[in-house]
């Protein structure tokens, strides 16, 4: 099965949840495509810009947990592709060189939709 994850936030707890969901889905042998859009693209910069406003985000930060470990494990399995939204990249003035090595490509929502056609899609805002 294909699993699409739309991440529209750079809030630490939401990024952590997206990573856990991606890893679990990949572990269950699903093809996973994460589409980072709007503020979600900021989480995948070379120097990630993660907001810490919620109580859960503060707890995660205090624990010093590496929230990107889940993405790296899922990528290592070959089952996860991370795409940055071309529109969000444009409005934030970002190009491929601004993103870290987890990002595979910058594409539009149409390309993401075609990647996960017929699959399950979850949105994390």
């Amino acid at each position: 099965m294909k699993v699409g994850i739309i991440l529209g936030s750079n809030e630490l707890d939401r990024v952590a949840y997206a990573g856990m969901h991606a890893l679990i889905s990949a572990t269950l042998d699903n093809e996973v495509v994460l589409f980072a859009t709007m503020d979600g693209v900021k989480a995948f910069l070379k120097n990630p810009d993660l907001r810490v406003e919620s109580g859960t985000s503060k707890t995660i930060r205090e624990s010093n947990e590496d929230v990107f470990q889940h993405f790296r494990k899922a990528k290592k399995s070959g089952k996860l592709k991370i795409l940055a939204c071309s529109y969000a990249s444009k409005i934030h003035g970002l190009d491929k060189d601004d993103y870290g090595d987890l990002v595979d490509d910058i594409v539009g929502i149409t390309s993401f939709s075609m990647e996960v056609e017929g699959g399950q899609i979850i949105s994390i805002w």
Side-chain angles (χ1 to χ4, degrees), residues 1-81:
M1 180 169 86
K2 293 181 183 179
V3 175
I5 301 171
I6 300 172
L7 177 64
S9 173
N10 63 329
E11 180 72 26
L12 181 59
D13 61 349
R14 292 177 177 105
V15 174
Y17 176 75
M20 287 184 281
H21 198 288
L23 179 57
I24 290 167
S25 294
T27 302
L28 294 172
D29 206 31
N30 294 304
E31 181 182 332
V32 184
V33 182
L34 184 138
F35 185 68
T37 188
M38 298 309 161
D39 283 346
V41 297
K42 296 176 183 178
F44 295 98
L45 297 173
K46 286 180 181 170
N47 294 307
D49 176 10
L50 298 172
R51 285 189 343 212
V52 180
E53 295 178 10
S54 74
T56 303
S57 290
K58 290 175 185 170
T59 301
I60 293 169
R61 183 185 61 192
E62 290 167 4
S63 74
N64 292 319
E65 178 184 340
D66 176 10
V67 297
F68 295 100
Q69 69 182 325
H70 300 105
F71 293 113
R72 284 192 292 277
K73 287 179 184 175
K75 293 278 288 186
K76 193 177 277 191
S77 76
K79 296 286 186 178
L80 173 63
K81 184 184 294 186

Side-chain angles (χ1 to χ4, degrees), residues 101-121:
D101 60 354
L102 290 173
V103 174
D104 295 293
D105 204 358
I106 298 173
V107 302
I109 187 74
T110 303
S111 295
F112 166 73
S113 297
M114 290 170 52
E115 287 264 356
V116 296
E117 185 175 3
Q120 174 189 19
I121 296 178

